[in-house]
Amino acid sequence: MLWEERQGETTADPMAMLRIGFAGSRELPAGELLSEQSTRIGDRQDPGPLCWISKEPPSAQLLATLRAESGTNGLWPLLLVDDTEIYGERCTVGVVAPEPRAHVDKWHVEQVMARIWEGLCQVDSELGPAYDLESLAPFDHTCPGPAPAGDLLADATVLANQLTQRLLNEQTRLGLVPAPRGADILTVLGWSGAANHVSRCAGLSAMLRSWEERFGARVLRLGPDRLDLSVAAPPTRREHAAAVAAEHWTFAPDRVMQDSGSIASYAEEIRGGRQWSFWWD
């Protein structure tokens, strides 16, 4: 069958393109489709594929090309990595039941941040607040709300391509997810990396959507419990960095408190930085 004929059959279904080894008009390297692995599957014979993953590390040029074409082929490219498991066995995909993208639409960054902030700061009648005011400074137990948008210091796509090259190594693989934007992949992949922090990822995806819009953030790499973003409009002023750090604390509290010790210390780390990296216990 000619590619033009195949294209006519698959343009409405990005996953159908992946089944025949193409992303849009581009032939893909060797790879495989990964399916849901959660216990929700039960007796179902075919849970259906969630994404495609390459068998070898991709080239930076291929990733850049696929990123440029994602708006037309409906496939979001990123690096998938798993340091301890065999590719295809876990690889961050389908470990918990995936959610529809429509679930992300139900959340707004303000309510996600406020709900998590309140939960993290809950007062125990015997032990007192879970976090002391020193670690939360310049904030307190009341959620400050989202930070203002940043000023673009670089083209978001160009920066994403540049930083992707630094993240490529023998453990990374190309992932292609049927989603129009990187923020949604946590939800549609059934990612379980933040399971000890939140039970479902739609709220985190909503925060990522807002970061895409306010800070020119782009999802670069996803691992079992890690996430790397490029940031084209990072905070450069001290007060702005603190406000962004407060958001990051609600997104990944382990990264902020265990690595930096406080929101204020973490704010200095991310001030002007063009890459944000998160991890969860």
Side-chain angles (χ1 to χ4, degrees):
M1 180 183 294
L2 296 175
W3 162 245
E4 288 76 9
E5 296 172 342
R6 286 176 169 176
Q7 188 179 37
E9 294 180 357
T10 60
T11 48
D13 183 1
M15 197 59 73
M17 288 191 290
L18 296 177
R19 288 191 179 94
I20 59 175
F22 282 85
S25 60
R26 186 161 300 278
E27 187 171 6
L28 295 171
E32 62 179 315
L33 292 170
L34 297 184
S35 299
E36 181 183 342
Q37 306 170 59
S38 76
T39 56
R40 189 191 68 164
I41 296 174
D43 296 328
R44 284 184 291 157
Q45 297 299 312
D46 182 11
L50 295 174
C51 72
W52 177 93
I53 186 171
S54 65
K55 293 186 179 296
E56 299 293 335
S59 68
Q61 183 176 359
L62 175 59
L63 267 161
T65 299
L66 292 171
R67 188 174 282 120
E69 296 178 354
S70 62
T72 56
N73 63 28
L75 295 165
W76 190 266
L78 76 157
L79 294 174
L80 290 176
V81 63
D82 194 322
D83 295 327
T84 58
E85 302 288 337
I86 299 172
Y87 286 102
E89 292 298 315
R90 186 170 76 169
C91 198
T92 76
V93 172
V95 180
V96 298
E99 298 176 76
R101 286 186 58 248
H103 286 192
V104 184
D105 298 332
K106 299 177 181 179
W107 292 96
H108 297 285
V109 63
E110 296 86 353
Q111 66 182 134
V112 176
M113 187 179 178
R115 178 174 293 195
I116 294 178
W117 191 285
E118 181 181 354
L120 290 172
C121 292
Q122 273 186 335
V123 176
D124 185 288
S125 58
E126 295 181 1
L127 301 177
Y131 292 89
D132 58 42
L133 292 178
E134 183 178 354
S135 64
L136 298 178
F139 310 103
D140 54 29
H141 294 132
T142 301
C143 178
D151 297 321
L152 278 173
L153 303 180
D155 180 273
T157 300
V158 171
L159 178 63
N161 292 337
Q162 292 172 341
L163 294 184
T164 294
Q165 296 183 54
R166 303 180 189 178
L167 297 176
L168 279 168
N169 56 43
E170 288 302 312
Q171 284 73 47
T172 53
R173 301 292 184 266
L174 167 63
L176 288 169
V177 185
R181 57 196 301 176
D184 296 352
I185 65 174
L186 303 186
T187 300
V188 301
L189 283 183
W191 182 71
S192 62
N196 291 334
H197 174 45
V198 292
S199 59
R200 308 294 282 170
C201 283
L204 298 187
S205 284
M207 291 192 78
L208 283 175
R209 282 184 178 183
S210 183
W211 291 352
E212 288 176 345
E213 295 159 2
R214 285 182 290 143
F215 305 111
R218 297 293 183 269
V219 172
L220 303 181
R221 181 172 65 176
L222 183 68
D225 57 3
R226 294 177 181 268
L227 173 68
D228 296 286
L229 311 175
S230 59
V231 187
T236 56
R237 294 176 290 101
R238 186 183 301 274
E239 297 80 4
H240 193 199
V244 174
E247 289 191 52
H248 286 195
W249 179 58
T250 61
F251 187 80
D254 298 329
R255 165 67 181 91
V256 175
M257 293 302 181
Q258 293 188 34
D259 278 353
S260 305
S262 69
I263 289 177
S265 295
Y266 177 78
E268 286 304 307
E269 293 179 23
I270 64 169
R271 187 176 172 186
R274 301 195 185 189
Q275 180 177 324
W276 293 345
S277 296
F278 303 98
W279 60 266
W280 294 260
D281 260 344

